[in-house]
Amino acid sequence: MKPDFAPPSFIFPIVWTILYILMGISAYLILKKGYESTKVKDAMFYYWLQLGLNFLWSILFFGFDLRLTALIVLVIMLLIVIVMTYKFFKINKKAAYINIPHIIWLMYALYLNYFIWIINK
């Protein structure tokens, strides 16, 4: 079951497509600064880590119905994206600002995941 404030299912692929495009643009802006730079390598580590956590979250939430575990991964992912955005900011402010919708969506997803877990305990 889902809470009443959950958006219709068709919204999710639209939002994630937009977010992945924005993430790709922001990563491109960072990589343009030169991958040999330690700051760029460090920032991109967090970029790849958050993508991996996103993939893991989907498997836990949809594949295994492990709502609480997925919630924990989502908290970690949100923190990683915040760190990534900060590191991007130190390299290219535009690349950081592009990630603000991602952070906002993750906060909403966290709220939604929490209530789905509570309702379906």
Side-chain angles (χ1 to χ4, degrees):
M1 285 180 25
K2 295 180 187 175
D4 293 337
F5 60 85
S9 296
F10 75 88
I11 296 294
F12 292 95
I14 295 168
V15 169
W16 277 110
T17 299
I18 293 166
L19 291 176
Y20 278 120
I21 290 168
L22 293 174
M23 283 187 261
I25 292 168
S26 71
Y28 170 75
L29 292 172
I30 295 302
L31 287 170
K32 268 182 39 175
K33 297 294 182 176
Y35 193 71
E36 64 281 347
S37 163
T38 303
K39 286 171 70 171
V40 169
K41 285 181 185 176
D42 184 45
M44 289 306 295
F45 168 79
Y46 289 94
Y47 175 81
W48 294 113
L49 180 57
Q50 64 89 19
L51 283 179
L53 289 170
N54 195 327
F55 180 71
L56 177 62
W57 179 88
S58 297
I59 292 169
L60 295 170
F61 189 86
F62 296 113
F64 295 116
D65 291 326
L66 295 172
R67 308 291 190 224
L68 177 58
T69 307
L71 181 66
I72 293 165
V73 168
L74 192 51
V75 168
I76 295 166
M77 183 173 27
L78 176 59
L79 294 173
I80 293 299
V81 171
I82 291 169
V83 169
M84 178 199 78
T85 303
Y86 172 74
K87 290 183 178 288
F88 278 22
F89 185 82
K90 290 172 28 178
I91 299 167
N92 181 313
K93 289 177 179 43
K94 193 181 296 185
Y97 294 139
I98 290 171
N99 283 287
I100 292 172
H102 188 194
I103 292 169
I104 293 167
W105 182 257
L106 288 176
M107 289 189 294
Y108 174 69
L110 182 66
Y111 184 69
L112 186 58
N113 188 154
Y114 173 77
F115 280 99
I116 290 172
W117 170 62
I118 292 296
I119 290 169
N120 293 290
K121 271 206 240 181

